[in-house]
């Protein structure tokens, strides 16, 4: 866990810096200087481009995780591994783009009535998807080389600063809206160039054609795995984005703007989870190679404990301050209050489930995850179709919450049945109980006149009401170690 803790801590710090910049963008700048439908456009362009890129990748992202340990040999340029997966992704992009252009008319029919801006800026999806594809491919390649920090700095901090710059230029009336959209797409394309440049600087940009005997030996297995990974990853992305896409189609782009803003606010919960996954995925793949189930179970428990405690604390602080957060946004965004609550509960359960997805997708049983995901995609589409017309964006949030809980329960049960490991320990039951008690204490306190003082005071009091019992109950060893280190650092500097 030493390397994982070291890298995940750095990545988490970068992610929280990025989250602070992202909150400036999504809570202050976007809602106050863009119309709700324009916010919906900006958010859904990225959502659709990521889906497009995932399909084009042809499973290459997961191929890197699963098979790079077998090719890892710097003296021999990793047996042409980067060339192979890059060629696969490029071929996938060409065929996907042809299909995408062929589907332009159905896309127009689907969205032109309630979300015409999506139709107007349709062609921007192609460069966004292309750069998203190669950013993710090179980021995953660098993760397998245990070079996690710089790619995270590029995506979490660098990109968001550029987004801040682009929306500020628009807010100052220096450009019109079409020019802003062009700038917004441009800055979202730049991280791919940055991460490729970093790979070159490391001396790891090995893209010369090289046909190693390894490819002949396991090439067929890799392609089969890639096909299953393609549909599995695509299904998972559809599962996680179908709600916002259906809100845009069934209601309108303004509602999608509010809904996707709530998605972003809850996304801060996933920062510790994503940081741990980024570092743990190649480690889990290594455990499968050596069949080290003891250390895998230990990592499974540690990830679940830490994610639940950190995610639960963040969710609690956001919920007790949610009315104050809406104070900085136009009044129409108040419609998203219970969207935030339901999406937050779903995401928190997703985090608490630990590394079940990573374990499944790097195991020999990876095919089964596809069947779970496809079944839940059907469930998600059906539930959104029936609930959105009746309950609006709250219906979409409820459908998303239930789907996330079911999805993770199925994965947990499957991993436990196949490998006799599961993420939960009884002590974790204290976390939701402490959260409910702390939230009730917050409700007893009235709102202070000064909004800034209210946020600060409420966060400090409720934060301590959560942290103190969690620490003394020793729910997460990793979190306790982190707290102890910071206490020693603070007291040491105080008395120095």
């Amino acid at each position: 866990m030493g390397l994982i803790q070291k890298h995940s801590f750095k990545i988490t710090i970068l992610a929280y810096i990025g989250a602070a910049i992202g909150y400036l963008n999504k809570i202050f700048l976007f809602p106050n200087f863009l119309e709700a439908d324009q916010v919906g456009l900006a958010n859904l362009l990225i959502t659709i481009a990521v889906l497009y890129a995932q399909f084009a990748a042809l499973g290459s992202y997961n191929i890197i995780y699963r098979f790079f340990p077998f090719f890892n040999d710097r003296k021999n340029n990793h047996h042409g591994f980067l060339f192979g997966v890059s060629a696969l992704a490029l071929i996938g992009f060409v065929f996907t783009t042809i299909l995408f252009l062929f589907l332009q008319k159905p896309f127009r029919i689907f969205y032109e009535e309630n979300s015409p801006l999506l139709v107007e800026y349709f062609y921007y999806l192609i460069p966004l998807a292309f750069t998203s594809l190669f950013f993710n491919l090179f980021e995953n390649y660098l993760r397998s080389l245990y070079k996690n920090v710089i790619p995270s700095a590029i995506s979490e901090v660098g990109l968001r600063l550029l987004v801040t710059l682009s929306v500020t230029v628009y807010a100052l009336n220096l450009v019109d809206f079409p020019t802003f959209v062009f700038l917004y797409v441009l800055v979202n394309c730049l991280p791919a160039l940055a991460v490729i440049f970093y790979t070159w600087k490391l001396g790891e940009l090995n893209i010369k054609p090289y046909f190693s005997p390894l490819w002949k030996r396991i090439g067929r297995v890799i392609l089969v795995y890639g096909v299953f990974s393609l549909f599995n990853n695509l299904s998972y992305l559809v599962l996680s984005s179908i709600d916002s896409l259906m809100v845009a189609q069934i209601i309108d782009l303004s509602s999608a703007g509010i809904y996707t803003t709530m998605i972003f606010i809850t996304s801060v919960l996933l920062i510790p989870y994503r940081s741990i996954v980024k570092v743990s995925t190649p480690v889990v793949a290594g455990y499968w190679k050596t069949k080290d189930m003891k250390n895998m179970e230990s990592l499974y428990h540690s990830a679940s404990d830490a994610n639940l405690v950190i995610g639960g604390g963040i969710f609690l602080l956001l919920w007790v301050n949610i009315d104050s957060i809406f104070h900085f946004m136009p009044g129409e965004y108040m419609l998203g209050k219970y969207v935030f609550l339901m999406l937050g509960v779903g995401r928190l359960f997703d985090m608490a489930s630990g590394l079940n997805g990573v374990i499944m997708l790097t195991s020999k049983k990876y095919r089964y995850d596809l069947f779970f995901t496809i079944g839940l995609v059907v469930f998600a589409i059906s539930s959104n179709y029936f609930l959105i017309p009746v309950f609006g964006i709250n219906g979409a949030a409820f459908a998303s919450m239930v789907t996330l809980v079911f999805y993770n329960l199925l994965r947990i049960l499957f991993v436990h049945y196949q490998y006799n490991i599961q993420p939960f320990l009884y002590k974790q039951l204290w976390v939701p109980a402490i959260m409910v008690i702390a939230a009730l204490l917050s409700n007893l306190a009235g709102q202070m006149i000064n909004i800034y003082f209210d946020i600060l005071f409420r966060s400090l009091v409720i934060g301590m009401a959560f942290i103190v019992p969690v620490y003394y109950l020793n729910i997460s060893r990793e979190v306790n170690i982190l707290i102890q280190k910071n206490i020693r650092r603070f007291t040491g500097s105080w008395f120095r």
Side-chain angles (χ1 to χ4, degrees), residues 252-367:
D252 54 39
L253 202 53
S254 295
S255 297
I258 296 169
Y259 190 85
T260 51
T261 299
M262 296 306 105
I263 290 176
F264 176 80
I265 294 175
T266 61
S267 68
V268 72
L269 303 180
L270 295 176
I271 289 174
Y273 172 74
R274 287 171 177 163
S275 300
I276 291 174
V277 166
K278 284 180 180 181
V279 182
S280 298
T281 302
V283 177
V284 171
Y287 287 157
W288 280 123
K289 184 180 177 182
T290 58
K291 296 180 172 59
D292 188 351
M293 297 305 295
K294 183 178 179 181
N295 277 321
M296 189 179 298
E297 183 175 28
S298 176
L299 180 59
Y300 200 14
H301 286 152
S302 297
S304 178
D305 292 343
N307 284 331
L308 180 60
V309 169
I310 298 172
I314 297 168
F315 178 57
L316 177 64
L317 289 178
L318 286 172
W319 178 247
V320 299
N321 288 299
I322 193 67
D323 292 329
S324 298
I325 292 172
F326 284 125
H327 175 81
F328 299 103
M329 306 167 75
E332 60 188 318
Y333 283 81
M334 276 291 293
L335 293 170
K337 181 175 181 177
Y338 292 102
V339 170
F340 166 81
L341 177 63
M342 289 181 278
L343 290 178
V345 170
R347 288 184 184 274
L348 189 58
F349 190 84
D350 189 24
M351 293 175 63
S353 302
L355 300 173
N356 55 24
V358 174
I359 290 170
M360 281 196 69
L361 290 173
T362 52
S363 75
K364 293 181 179 180
K365 302 289 184 180
Y366 63 86
R367 294 177 178 86

Side-chain angles (χ1 to χ4, degrees), residues 187-421:
V187 301
N188 275 280
C189 292
L190 293 178
L193 297 176
V195 81
I196 292 171
F197 176 76
Y198 176 61
T199 307
W200 174 74
K201 288 290 288 183
L202 289 173
E204 295 286 357
L205 191 61
N206 305 309
I207 54 174
K208 291 182 180 179
Y210 180 77
F211 299 98
S212 165
L214 264 175
W215 285 104
K216 293 180 181 178
R217 194 184 317 156
I218 60 174
R220 185 174 177 276
V221 176
I222 290 173
L223 287 175
V224 171
Y225 179 83
V227 170
F228 273 89
S229 296
L230 160 66
F231 288 106
N232 186 75
N233 290 343
L234 189 63
S235 298
Y236 178 75
L237 275 176
V238 170
L239 194 64
S240 60
S241 58
I242 192 64
D243 47 357
S244 54
L245 294 171
M246 292 185 71
V247 166
Q249 193 273 326
I250 296 173
I251 308 177
D252 54 39
L253 202 53
S254 295
S255 297
I258 296 169
Y259 190 85
T260 51
T261 299
M262 296 306 105
I263 290 176
F264 176 80
I265 294 175
T266 61
S267 68
V268 72
L269 303 180
L270 295 176
I271 289 174
Y273 172 74
R274 287 171 177 163
S275 300
I276 291 174
V277 166
K278 284 180 180 181
V279 182
S280 298
T281 302
V283 177
V284 171
Y287 287 157
W288 280 123
K289 184 180 177 182
T290 58
K291 296 180 172 59
D292 188 351
M293 297 305 295
K294 183 178 179 181
N295 277 321
M296 189 179 298
E297 183 175 28
S298 176
L299 180 59
Y300 200 14
H301 286 152
S302 297
S304 178
D305 292 343
N307 284 331
L308 180 60
V309 169
I310 298 172
I314 297 168
F315 178 57
L316 177 64
L317 289 178
L318 286 172
W319 178 247
V320 299
N321 288 299
I322 193 67
D323 292 329
S324 298
I325 292 172
F326 284 125
H327 175 81
F328 299 103
M329 306 167 75
E332 60 188 318
Y333 283 81
M334 276 291 293
L335 293 170
K337 181 175 181 177
Y338 292 102
V339 170
F340 166 81
L341 177 63
M342 289 181 278
L343 290 178
V345 170
R347 288 184 184 274
L348 189 58
F349 190 84
D350 189 24
M351 293 175 63
S353 302
L355 300 173
N356 55 24
V358 174
I359 290 170
M360 281 196 69
L361 290 173
T362 52
S363 75
K364 293 181 179 180
K365 302 289 184 180
Y366 63 86
R367 294 177 178 86
Y368 290 93
D369 198 45
L370 173 62
F371 303 129
F372 295 151
T373 311
I374 290 175
L376 282 165
V377 166
V378 174
F379 174 80
I381 292 172
S382 303
S383 57
N384 275 284
Y385 180 78
F386 287 108
L387 291 174
I388 291 175
V390 180
F391 300 105
I393 57 176
N394 287 324
F398 182 77
S400 178
M401 178 185 71
V402 173
T403 302
L404 269 175
V405 171
F406 280 170
Y407 184 57
N408 281 286
L409 280 175
L410 285 173
R411 279 178 154 183
I412 290 166
L413 292 170
F414 183 83
V415 170
H416 179 63
Y417 176 76
Q418 292 291 333
Y419 306 110
N420 199 31
I421 58 175

Side-chain angles (χ1 to χ4, degrees), residues 93 126-136 185 188-193:
F93 182 79
I126 297 174
L128 278 172
F130 182 77
T131 51
S132 174
L133 167 63
F134 280 94
F135 175 82
N136 285 311
V185 170
N188 275 280
C189 292
L190 293 178
L193 297 176

